[in-house]
Amino acid sequence: MISDEKKDPPEKYEILHGLKSLLSDAPMIEIAVFDEDLAENVFQSWLKRDHRCLTSLQMNWLQPKLQSRTVYTGLFTTESEPTPLFLSLIYDMTLTWHSYDENSDEAFLNIKTTNDAIDYLYSQLSKKHNEVFFKRAMAYLQQGGGLTEIELEDMLSADNRVLQAIFVHYLPPVNIFRIPSTLWIRIRNEMQKYFVEKDVDNASVIYL
């Protein structure tokens, strides 16, 4: 899912062009910014699909985020929200909520833009999966322009900062000095919908 917020000329990043080259055989559908009614209908359809419901208090937390709005992000830049990606990110955040939750997360309430939502998601996953490990894994995927899982684990296993963050209380035998594969698998399972996977030379390559 690509969020085109119209704040930069398309040629600046060429994200869409790159994806069209990468996924030449995949259908692509352009989705404009949601208006308030459509955003709420989509959100409710996701709740129904997953057999979930939120309390009225929790819906009050969400309501401002479903409203169509223009957010000023700089002196001459604006973002139109909610974008499809923004809505998807917000929904994923509610998956950890419980019916008895009555105290809102201040950081969540302060989310106004898609970039805010991505930062919040990264912050939450960093706390859950080890900050150094998570951020380095995401950085390698972004800078590598697509990696297989073995390549990613090789890079993380050769990163001294990652090793020091993971092996705090003990060091593994020298001949198997690698990160446990389960660490990456947990992150992959939580972020799978935000990855693009493509077979290249009979190997599955992950793009972020």
Side-chain angles (χ1 to χ4, degrees):
M1 183 181 293
I2 306 171
S3 174
D4 181 7
E5 299 171 2
K6 308 295 185 187
K7 62 181 180 179
D8 288 315
E11 63 273 11
K12 181 171 182 180
Y13 300 113
E14 297 185 345
I15 297 174
L16 182 58
H17 175 74
L19 275 181
K20 284 181 176 178
S21 300
L22 179 65
L23 305 172
S24 57
D25 55 344
M28 293 192 181
I29 302 173
E30 180 179 357
I31 304 176
V33 175
F34 288 134
D35 60 32
E36 183 175 352
D37 291 337
L38 181 57
E40 185 156 1
N41 288 340
V42 169
F43 203 91
Q44 291 294 342
S45 72
W46 288 343
L47 290 172
K48 184 177 180 180
R49 176 199 64 193
D50 296 337
H51 306 289
R52 300 178 60 227
C53 63
L54 300 177
T55 66
S56 57
L57 176 61
Q58 291 168 343
M59 287 304 301
N60 287 339
W61 300 341
L62 288 170
Q63 206 60 46
K65 305 185 188 313
L66 303 180
Q67 295 174 357
S68 180
R69 62 200 182 279
T70 298
V71 182
Y72 289 89
T73 57
L75 187 59
F76 301 108
T77 58
T78 61
E79 295 180 12
S80 297
E81 298 288 357
T83 63
L85 178 57
F86 178 86
L87 201 63
S88 178
L89 288 164
I90 293 297
Y91 181 79
D92 285 351
M93 294 170 196
T94 69
L95 295 175
T96 61
W97 292 1
H98 308 92
S99 59
Y100 52 80
D101 290 337
E102 296 185 353
N103 296 319
S104 60
D105 180 353
E106 194 66 29
F108 175 82
L109 295 180
N110 288 332
I111 295 174
K112 294 181 173 62
T113 67
T114 301
N115 284 336
D116 291 343
I118 293 172
D119 289 343
Y120 181 90
L121 175 67
Y122 272 37
S123 175
Q124 295 300 106
L125 292 176
S126 291
K127 295 174 184 176
K128 184 174 182 179
H129 296 288
N130 185 296
E131 182 176 4
V132 173
F133 180 77
F134 176 81
K135 289 185 175 180
R136 300 291 259 207
M138 296 302 103
Y140 286 139
L141 280 176
Q142 289 176 323
Q143 296 172 11
L147 297 170
T148 66
E149 292 190 321
I150 293 177
E151 289 172 334
L152 178 59
E153 289 184 13
D154 285 345
M155 296 173 76
L156 291 168
S157 297
D159 188 324
N160 286 334
R161 285 194 60 193
V162 170
L163 295 175
Q164 290 170 3
I166 293 175
F167 299 109
V168 177
H169 302 294
Y170 75 97
L171 291 176
V174 176
N175 61 329
I176 54 170
F177 208 78
R178 291 181 61 82
I179 61 167
S181 296
T182 53
L183 297 179
W184 162 246
I185 291 173
R186 290 169 189 160
I187 293 177
R188 184 196 64 194
N189 289 343
E190 289 208 49
M191 292 196 63
Q192 195 154 20
K193 67 183 292 185
Y194 302 111
F195 294 148
V196 174
E197 293 190 42
K198 184 178 181 181
D199 286 335
V200 178
D201 296 330
N202 296 320
S204 180
V205 178
I206 301 173
Y207 300 84
L208 177 61

